[in-house]
Amino acid sequence: MNAFDEHFMRMALREAEKAAADGEVPTGCVIVEPAVIEPAHDGHRAVYDPNPSVARILGRGHNQTEGLSDATAHAEMLALSAAFAAKGNWRLAGARLYVTKEPCPMCAGGIVLARLDTVVWGVSDPKRGGGTTFGIFDHPGINHHPALVTGVLEAESRAILQEFFRSRRK
Protein backbone atom coordinates (compact mmCIF):
# COMPACT_ATOMS: atom_id res chain seq x y z
CA MET A 1 0.00 0.00 0.00
CA ASN A 2 1.41 3.39 -0.88
CA ALA A 3 1.11 6.65 1.06
CA PHE A 4 -0.83 8.33 -1.77
CA ASP A 5 -3.60 5.72 -1.71
CA GLU A 6 -3.65 5.60 2.09
CA HIS A 7 -3.99 9.41 2.29
CA PHE A 8 -7.10 9.51 0.10
CA MET A 9 -8.62 6.36 1.59
CA ARG A 10 -8.46 8.09 4.98
CA MET A 11 -10.52 10.91 3.44
CA ALA A 12 -13.01 8.32 2.19
CA LEU A 13 -13.18 6.86 5.70
CA ARG A 14 -14.06 10.32 7.05
CA GLU A 15 -16.90 10.44 4.53
CA ALA A 16 -18.03 6.99 5.74
CA GLU A 17 -18.10 8.34 9.31
CA LYS A 18 -20.47 11.09 8.14
CA ALA A 19 -22.78 8.47 6.68
CA ALA A 20 -22.73 6.46 9.91
CA ALA A 21 -23.53 9.60 11.94
CA ASP A 22 -26.59 10.08 9.71
CA GLY A 23 -27.72 6.47 10.18
CA GLU A 24 -26.65 5.49 6.67
CA VAL A 25 -24.56 2.46 5.70
CA PRO A 26 -21.08 3.88 6.28
CA THR A 27 -19.54 4.06 2.85
CA GLY A 28 -17.44 7.04 1.78
CA CYS A 29 -15.88 8.02 -1.51
CA VAL A 30 -13.34 10.55 -2.78
CA ILE A 31 -12.39 11.15 -6.42
CA VAL A 32 -8.94 12.56 -7.08
CA GLU A 33 -7.11 13.86 -10.12
CA PRO A 34 -3.41 13.19 -9.55
CA ALA A 35 -0.79 15.52 -11.02
CA VAL A 36 0.63 13.93 -14.17
CA ILE A 37 4.41 13.51 -14.50
CA GLU A 38 4.29 11.56 -17.75
CA PRO A 39 1.14 11.31 -19.92
CA ALA A 40 -0.26 7.97 -21.04
CA HIS A 41 1.12 6.70 -24.34
CA ASP A 42 1.39 3.54 -26.44
CA GLY A 43 -1.09 1.63 -24.26
CA HIS A 44 0.71 2.51 -21.01
CA ARG A 45 -1.03 4.35 -18.19
CA ALA A 46 0.13 7.82 -17.19
CA VAL A 47 2.73 8.26 -14.45
CA TYR A 48 1.49 10.40 -11.56
CA ASP A 49 3.19 12.53 -8.93
CA PRO A 50 3.15 10.47 -5.69
CA ASN A 51 2.70 13.60 -3.56
CA PRO A 52 -0.95 13.77 -2.43
CA SER A 53 -0.73 17.52 -1.79
CA VAL A 54 -0.49 18.27 -5.53
CA ALA A 55 -3.51 16.14 -6.44
CA ARG A 56 -6.89 17.82 -7.02
CA ILE A 57 -9.94 16.51 -5.19
CA LEU A 58 -12.79 16.48 -7.72
CA GLY A 59 -15.59 15.06 -5.61
CA ARG A 60 -16.56 13.52 -2.30
CA GLY A 61 -19.61 11.66 -1.15
CA HIS A 62 -21.08 9.39 1.46
CA ASN A 63 -24.17 7.23 1.39
CA GLN A 64 -27.38 9.27 1.63
CA THR A 65 -30.00 6.81 0.39
CA GLU A 66 -32.18 7.10 3.49
CA GLY A 67 -31.81 10.85 3.96
CA LEU A 68 -32.55 11.64 0.33
CA SER A 69 -35.04 8.77 -0.16
CA ASP A 70 -33.06 7.90 -3.26
CA ALA A 71 -31.84 4.38 -4.02
CA THR A 72 -29.11 5.84 -6.26
CA ALA A 73 -27.64 8.14 -3.59
CA HIS A 74 -24.63 5.92 -2.99
CA ALA A 75 -21.31 7.50 -2.01
CA GLU A 76 -19.79 6.79 -5.42
CA MET A 77 -22.71 8.21 -7.41
CA LEU A 78 -22.72 11.42 -5.36
CA ALA A 79 -18.94 11.78 -5.66
CA LEU A 80 -19.17 11.14 -9.42
CA SER A 81 -21.77 13.91 -9.82
CA ALA A 82 -19.56 16.33 -7.89
CA ALA A 83 -16.53 15.34 -10.00
CA PHE A 84 -18.45 15.85 -13.27
CA ALA A 85 -19.41 19.34 -12.09
CA ALA A 86 -15.82 20.13 -11.03
CA LYS A 87 -14.41 19.00 -14.38
CA GLY A 88 -17.26 20.32 -16.50
CA ASN A 89 -17.17 16.96 -18.25
CA TRP A 90 -18.52 13.45 -17.70
CA ARG A 91 -15.20 11.91 -18.69
CA LEU A 92 -12.90 11.49 -15.72
CA ALA A 93 -9.95 9.89 -17.51
CA GLY A 94 -6.86 9.92 -15.31
CA ALA A 95 -8.86 10.22 -12.07
CA ARG A 96 -8.71 7.79 -9.16
CA LEU A 97 -11.77 6.83 -7.11
CA TYR A 98 -11.32 5.84 -3.46
CA VAL A 99 -14.19 4.07 -1.72
CA THR A 100 -14.33 2.26 1.60
CA LYS A 101 -16.44 -0.65 0.30
CA GLU A 102 -16.32 -2.27 -3.11
CA PRO A 103 -18.76 -0.58 -5.50
CA CYS A 104 -22.11 -2.25 -6.18
CA PRO A 105 -23.10 -3.05 -9.79
CA MET A 106 -24.82 0.33 -10.25
CA CYS A 107 -21.79 2.26 -9.03
CA ALA A 108 -19.39 0.03 -10.97
CA GLY A 109 -21.36 0.82 -14.12
CA GLY A 110 -21.15 4.56 -13.44
CA ILE A 111 -17.42 4.28 -12.83
CA VAL A 112 -16.89 2.46 -16.12
CA LEU A 113 -18.98 5.00 -18.04
CA ALA A 114 -17.04 7.89 -16.47
CA ARG A 115 -13.74 6.37 -17.70
CA LEU A 116 -11.99 6.56 -14.32
CA ASP A 117 -8.40 5.37 -14.51
CA THR A 118 -8.24 3.56 -11.18
CA VAL A 119 -10.66 2.30 -8.53
CA VAL A 120 -9.29 1.80 -5.01
CA TRP A 121 -11.40 0.18 -2.32
CA GLY A 122 -10.97 -0.91 1.26
CA VAL A 123 -13.15 -3.95 1.83
CA SER A 124 -14.54 -6.26 -0.84
CA ASP A 125 -18.25 -7.13 -0.96
CA PRO A 126 -18.51 -10.87 -1.75
CA LYS A 127 -22.33 -10.72 -1.95
CA ARG A 128 -22.96 -7.59 -4.03
CA GLY A 129 -19.59 -6.41 -5.32
CA GLY A 130 -19.62 -4.99 -8.81
CA GLY A 131 -16.10 -6.25 -9.40
CA THR A 132 -15.62 -9.43 -7.37
CA THR A 133 -19.13 -10.85 -7.67
CA PHE A 134 -20.45 -9.44 -10.94
CA GLY A 135 -17.17 -8.89 -12.84
CA ILE A 136 -18.22 -5.54 -14.25
CA PHE A 137 -14.78 -3.92 -14.22
CA ASP A 138 -13.21 -6.65 -16.33
CA HIS A 139 -16.23 -7.74 -18.37
CA PRO A 140 -15.20 -8.29 -22.01
CA GLY A 141 -18.28 -6.47 -23.30
CA ILE A 142 -17.36 -3.07 -21.87
CA ASN A 143 -15.14 -0.51 -23.52
CA HIS A 144 -13.20 0.69 -20.47
CA HIS A 145 -11.40 -1.33 -17.79
CA PRO A 146 -10.11 0.68 -14.83
CA ALA A 147 -7.15 -0.54 -12.83
CA LEU A 148 -8.22 -1.98 -9.46
CA VAL A 149 -6.42 -1.63 -6.15
CA THR A 150 -8.09 -3.52 -3.31
CA GLY A 151 -7.57 -3.91 0.41
CA VAL A 152 -6.33 -0.35 1.11
CA LEU A 153 -7.05 0.30 4.80
CA GLU A 154 -9.19 -2.82 4.72
CA ALA A 155 -9.26 -3.31 8.50
CA GLU A 156 -10.48 0.26 9.11
CA SER A 157 -13.07 -0.01 6.33
CA ARG A 158 -14.36 -3.33 7.68
CA ALA A 159 -14.44 -2.04 11.26
CA ILE A 160 -16.69 0.93 10.50
CA LEU A 161 -19.15 -1.35 8.67
CA GLN A 162 -19.12 -3.98 11.41
CA GLU A 163 -19.67 -1.41 14.14
CA PHE A 164 -22.56 0.14 12.23
CA PHE A 165 -24.36 -3.17 11.73
CA ARG A 166 -23.57 -4.33 15.28
CA SER A 167 -25.23 -1.16 16.65
CA ARG A 168 -28.23 -1.61 14.31
CA ARG A 169 -28.85 -5.14 15.64
CA LYS A 170 -29.04 -3.93 19.25
Side-chain angles (χ1 to χ4, degrees):
M1 171 174 12
N2 66 47
F4 188 92
D5 288 345
E6 187 175 319
H7 176 83
F8 290 108
M9 186 59 79
R10 288 200 187 285
M11 285 186 180
L13 281 163
R14 286 194 290 277
E15 289 295 321
E17 290 167 359
K18 293 177 189 177
D22 292 341
E24 303 274 358
V25 173
T27 302
C29 181
V30 176
I31 299 175
V32 177
E33 184 176 58
V36 176
I37 293 174
E38 184 179 323
H41 59 74
D42 299 328
H44 296 349
R45 294 189 186 274
V47 176
Y48 300 108
D49 190 319
N51 181 353
S53 68
V54 297
R56 176 181 173 205
I57 296 172
L58 298 175
R60 302 172 195 243
H62 56 277
N63 278 359
Q64 296 185 53
T65 55
E66 299 297 334
L68 296 176
S69 296
D70 181 349
T72 68
H74 289 195
E76 301 96 322
M77 300 303 279
L78 297 172
L80 282 167
S81 291
F84 299 147
K87 288 285 286 185
N89 195 327
W90 60 269
R91 291 177 187 89
L92 301 177
R96 295 174 73 86
L97 182 142
Y98 294 85
V99 63
T100 55
K101 184 176 74 59
E102 178 183 359
C104 73
M106 172 185 68
C107 295
I111 289 164
V112 167
L113 291 172
R115 314 289 198 277
L116 283 141
D117 188 59
T118 305
V119 179
V120 181
W121 71 71
V123 64
S124 294
D125 184 348
K127 292 183 181 178
R128 292 172 288 281
T132 58
T133 302
F134 293 96
I136 292 170
F137 295 120
D138 59 2
H139 191 281
I142 61 171
N143 63 344
H144 177 73
H145 302 275
L148 303 177
V149 180
T150 65
V152 175
L153 299 183
E154 182 175 4
E156 293 90 332
S157 297
R158 177 174 282 109
I160 194 169
L161 285 164
Q162 288 175 335
E163 177 54 34
F164 174 79
F165 288 112
R166 191 175 299 121
S167 70
R168 297 282 297 232
R169 285 189 214 89
K170 289 181 182 178

